[in-house]
Amino acid sequence: ILAACPGWIEEATMSLSSEAAIGIGFAGFLGCCLCLILGILLRRHRSRQRIAVTSIKQLQHLFSSMDTDRSGCVDTSEFIAGFRMPDDMYTASLVTMMDADDNGHITFHEMVECIARFHGCTTTHAFAFTLLDARATGAVPKAKVQMVLRGVLVAVLRERAKLKFSEKYNTKQVMNFMKDMREGMTIEDFEHLEMRFPGAFGGVAIIW
């Protein structure tokens, strides 16, 4: 269209004030920036879609390798063995999350839905909270957290000692600190505990 009417463009341009011309030029610049940003976002969205499809296919392959009888579900014990997970409270909580209908078997759909719940967990305390809050109530009983930590802290602290971390503490100190915490621990409480005792939720690393 612009090429078809050069006379009109020239006349219109000459009649514009310098301020209007600058305004039009700036608007054009913003338009180009917007198109560039939209293009980048679109490419990222398509890239994420491809990653999601690839991840689903990998999960399907892994699930099929455990579903040896092709029944469409796996026994919880087979699931634990298939992922080589440790026999602790974190694993037990994960199985509870996976087995949403409590029938002792995990379907592919249940597994994918469970994994989706961990989207956005970028810290060990956030992952631990989501894991222990198996039914997504928004809080974890303090007694449950204490039981889990008593069972895994020895191994966690031993590993931290090998790596020579500067922060040193023991299970008794963690338990004493937790006495004054609320009975239904929220994710903020988990963060507070992690800040006071760095690495306390490191036991989830294997599952994570």
Side-chain angles (χ1 to χ4, degrees):
I1 295 173
L2 296 178
C5 48
W8 178 84
I9 295 172
E10 183 179 357
E11 182 181 347
T13 304
M14 291 180 66
S15 65
L16 289 172
S17 65
S18 59
E19 290 83 359
I22 293 173
I24 291 175
F26 186 65
F29 171 72
L30 288 179
C32 290
C33 290
L34 180 60
C35 289
L36 180 61
I37 292 170
L38 288 175
I40 293 172
L41 291 176
L42 181 60
R43 285 195 294 273
R44 286 182 179 178
H45 176 68
R46 288 173 177 169
S47 176
R48 287 171 181 168
Q49 283 185 320
R50 288 194 293 271
I51 292 171
V53 170
T54 302
S55 298
I56 291 294
K57 287 182 178 178
Q58 290 174 340
L59 284 174
Q60 285 177 327
H61 177 73
L62 180 60
F63 188 84
S64 296
S65 67
M66 292 185 287
D67 182 19
T68 54
D69 61 357
R70 298 295 182 266
S71 63
C73 59
V74 295
D75 183 85
T76 52
S77 59
E78 292 174 334
F79 180 82
I80 293 172
F83 279 99
R84 298 177 182 176
M85 291 184 291
D87 182 17
D88 59 24
M89 288 287 291
Y90 285 131
T91 296
S93 189
L94 180 64
V95 169
T96 299
M97 288 178 66
M98 291 280 184
D99 185 16
D101 56 7
D102 293 318
N103 66 351
H105 295 84
I106 299 169
T107 65
F108 180 71
H109 180 72
E110 286 177 325
M111 184 174 77
V112 171
E113 280 197 337
C114 176
I115 291 173
R117 279 189 54 189
F118 292 99
H119 177 71
C121 291
T122 58
T123 61
T124 52
H125 76 263
F127 188 90
F129 175 80
T130 304
L131 187 59
L132 296 178
D133 184 22
R135 295 300 182 227
T137 62
V140 181
K142 181 169 68 173
K144 181 177 181 180
V145 180
Q146 290 174 320
M147 186 186 303
V148 170
L149 291 178
R150 285 194 187 98
V152 301
L153 268 179
V154 173
V156 169
L157 295 175
R158 188 187 303 121
E159 189 62 28
R160 288 178 63 83
K162 288 180 182 178
L163 297 175
K164 298 182 179 180
F165 282 99
S166 57
E167 304 89 351
K168 297 184 184 300
Y169 55 89
N170 56 47
T171 303
K172 184 178 180 180
Q173 289 174 311
V174 176
M175 294 300 115
N176 286 337
F177 182 80
M178 292 182 68
K179 286 180 180 179
D180 296 327
M181 302 187 85
R182 68 186 107 187
E183 292 303 316
M185 293 180 63
T186 65
I187 191 168
E188 289 78 15
D189 295 318
F190 273 60
E191 182 179 12
H192 188 199
L193 189 62
E194 175 69 20
M195 289 178 66
R196 176 63 181 81
F197 301 103
F201 295 108
V204 300
I206 296 176
I207 296 177
W208 196 8

